[in-house]
Amino acid sequence: MTDTDTGSASAQQSSAEADDQLFSKDTGKLGDRVFRGLSFGAAGLILVTLAAVAIFLFKEGLPTFTGDQDELDNAESFLSYVGPLIFGTVYISALALLIATPVAVAVALYISHYSPRKLSHTLGYFIDILAAIPSVVYGIWGIGVLAPILSGSLYPWLDDYASFLPFFGSDINVSTSGRTMLTVAIVLAVMILPIITAISREVFLQTPRLHEEASLALGATRWEMVRQAVIPYGRSGVISGAMLGLGRALGETMAVAIILSPADGYFWNIITNSNSNTIAANIALQFPESSGLEVNRLIATGLVLFMITFVVNAIARKIANTGFSGADG
């Protein structure tokens, strides 16, 4: 083979390799564009869906304010109608959050810093299972198991010894059925426990090892190390997890509808049969028997609930975006 032939073969091989590299580069760019387009489409779909829900609620709820009020069974103003529902929704959800947050933080601390590795995995698994249980099952458990226990032991005790507090004392007799706001709050606390626990656990595990070792090196006990290094570092994460749990409790429907004995009004006492209803449970209970403007009013209350949960989740996102409080220290 002559030098000319050899040079021609080498040039052809080099050209082929260059073509392969160019094709591979172009394919990579095409893949990037496809992936970018799919990602953007998925993100845009979420925003479109959110906007579509808001537009639907606004459009269908608007006749509540512009239609003939005589069509309503109860022709009271919308604020008078939705006010007790907002109160009940926020009140019960706040009680659930007050019960769940300390327990969730304690469980997260034990799993992340106290329990053996095998036990921590097992506990984490069972905590996560709680999130997979349907809400109707929680409702049946609440009305069939928890309510009789509370009404037979805890509620009479609270009525006898804690009636000086507005939450447990009033002229209304204590509930004998257990279908109270406190029962609902406990059930909701169990339902939101996995959310707060999972987020708190992951935040606590991200505490810099150097911070923990420095605290222990200065003579701190295990609890003092947790209090000085772990909890301050994960405070914002715990708060954002609690806010997400609150958003979950605000929108709960079936468990509340099954357990609660609702009444129309504002009620502070949480152990009687006179209870403020929630927006979600009221919609579920009233919608099948409603028609005309009554349906529009229920949808308008759904818009109010949508706004409340949107604000709560926005606050949680704001807190989460600030980063961990100890990260900058």
Side-chain angles (χ1 to χ4, degrees):
M1 180 180 294
T2 62
D3 294 339
T4 303
D5 295 335
T6 302
S8 177
S10 300
Q12 291 178 359
Q13 183 178 0
S14 299
S15 178
E17 292 176 355
D19 292 339
D20 291 340
Q21 293 178 359
L22 182 60
F23 176 78
S24 177
K25 188 175 180 179
D26 290 339
T27 303
K29 288 184 177 180
L30 178 60
D32 289 341
R33 288 196 298 269
V34 171
F35 179 76
R36 187 183 302 111
L38 292 175
S39 301
F40 179 79
L45 181 62
I46 295 176
L47 297 178
V48 170
T49 303
L50 186 65
V53 172
I55 293 173
F56 167 79
L57 293 174
F58 179 80
K59 178 182 177 181
E60 296 298 324
L62 187 61
T64 305
F65 308 98
T66 59
D68 186 5
Q69 300 299 312
D70 294 336
E71 296 182 18
L72 298 173
D73 294 337
N74 188 353
E76 61 183 345
S77 66
F78 180 75
L79 183 60
S80 300
Y81 177 80
V82 77
L85 299 177
I86 296 176
F87 172 80
T89 300
V90 176
Y91 189 32
I92 294 176
S93 299
L95 289 174
L97 187 66
L98 186 64
I99 296 171
T101 301
V103 177
V105 172
V107 172
L109 285 174
Y110 179 76
I111 292 176
S112 61
H113 287 82
Y114 285 92
S115 67
R117 184 178 299 273
K118 292 183 178 180
L119 181 59
S120 66
H121 289 308
T122 303
L123 289 176
Y125 173 75
F126 282 108
I127 290 295
D128 293 338
I129 285 180
L130 292 176
I133 299 177
S135 59
V136 66
V137 175
Y138 279 111
I140 296 173
W141 170 74
I143 194 64
V145 178
L146 186 62
I149 295 175
L150 295 178
S151 62
S153 57
L154 180 61
Y155 291 171
W157 186 90
L158 291 174
D159 186 49
D160 291 337
Y161 298 102
S163 58
F164 60 92
L165 297 173
F167 311 106
F168 308 122
S170 67
D171 297 333
I172 307 176
N173 294 330
V174 66
S175 173
T176 58
S177 65
R179 302 183 64 181
T180 67
M181 287 189 284
L182 182 55
T183 303
V184 174
I186 294 174
V187 173
L188 290 181
V190 176
M191 296 178 68
I192 67 177
L193 186 67
I195 300 174
I196 306 176
T197 301
I199 295 177
S200 300
R201 178 184 62 201
E202 295 303 320
V203 171
F204 293 152
L205 287 174
Q206 292 181 15
T207 304
R209 187 66 179 174
L210 182 61
H211 293 185
E212 299 178 2
E213 293 176 350
S215 180
L216 294 173
L218 293 175
T221 63
R222 178 69 65 87
W223 161 243
E224 289 173 338
M225 179 272 293
V226 168
R227 183 167 55 88
Q228 296 170 1
V230 178
I231 294 179
Y233 185 86
R235 184 180 295 115
S236 63
V238 172
I239 294 174
S240 61
M243 297 297 288
L244 291 176
L246 177 61
R248 171 73 174 86
L250 289 170
E252 177 52 41
T253 303
M254 289 307 301
V256 180
I258 292 173
I259 300 172
L260 192 65
S261 175
D264 186 16
Y266 301 86
F267 302 97
W268 286 101
N269 195 316
I270 58 178
I271 59 174
T272 70
N273 283 327
S274 298
N275 307 286
S276 299
N277 203 359
T278 66
I279 295 176
N282 181 70
I283 293 174
L285 294 173
Q286 300 296 330
F287 200 89
E289 300 178 358
S290 299
S291 61
L293 205 59
E294 289 284 346
V295 175
N296 297 112
R297 183 166 67 173
L298 291 175
I299 295 177
T301 61
L303 177 61
V304 174
L305 178 61
F306 177 84
M307 295 172 62
I308 294 174
T309 54
F310 184 83
V311 170
V312 169
N313 287 313
I315 294 174
R317 176 62 60 181
K318 178 67 175 179
I319 295 174
N321 287 339
T322 60
F324 304 131
S325 59
D328 298 333

